[in-house]
Amino acid sequence: QVQLVESGGGLVQPGGSLSLSCAASGSGSSSAVMGWFRQAPGKQRELVATITRGGSRNYADSMKGRFTISRDNAKNTVYLQMNSLKPEDTAVYYCQGIYQGTTYWGRGTQVTVSA
């Protein structure tokens, strides 16, 4: 059973930066695709960014230029660097990994952007 554990959330002021990590365990190989999603109160979960094993990246339009996704296949870890954060970025951020056609989710980490 694959487990994904996020870390790095917290409180940051508008304009600040935060870095998230997601470590995967329980799989003998790296995932085909890993990604970050987020869910704000009262809203649906939405895509933030994804990255393939080969390093191809996809971002939601509102995150382009501010967020950077990366991964370390040897460590089975995906990262999200978030810059120029806005109050509307406040949400629970979830890690997703796709292993052999099955999608797994982490429990999420809270990111709060507030003065």
Side-chain angles (χ1 to χ4, degrees):
Q1 182 74 8
V2 174
Q3 289 187 327
L4 304 175
V5 179
E6 303 97 336
S7 61
L11 174 64
V12 63
Q13 292 187 344
S17 299
L18 209 57
S19 181
L20 306 181
S21 299
C22 171
S25 61
S27 173
S29 61
S30 62
S31 69
V33 181
M34 296 192 80
W36 291 94
F37 289 71
R38 69 185 188 184
Q39 187 167 16
K43 294 187 177 181
Q44 291 187 331
R45 191 172 297 189
E46 63 175 352
L47 168 73
V48 174
T50 61
I51 184 169
T52 67
R53 185 185 292 121
S56 295
R57 295 170 172 84
N58 178 52
Y59 295 94
D61 286 342
S62 61
M63 285 65 151
K64 288 180 180 177
R66 299 190 300 125
F67 292 7
T68 302
I69 190 171
S70 60
R71 65 186 287 173
D72 185 331
N73 291 332
K75 294 182 178 180
N76 234 343
T77 299
V78 64
Y79 307 94
L80 184 69
Q81 176 65 39
M82 303 183 291
N83 299 325
S84 302
L85 284 163
K86 306 173 182 179
E88 51 263 43
D89 293 318
T90 295
V92 177
Y93 284 69
Y94 295 92
C95 175
Q96 180 204 68
I98 300 176
Y99 294 80
Q100 298 179 336
T102 300
T103 299
Y104 297 88
W105 293 93
R107 292 188 174 184
T109 185
Q110 177 70 44
V111 171
T112 302
V113 185
S114 175

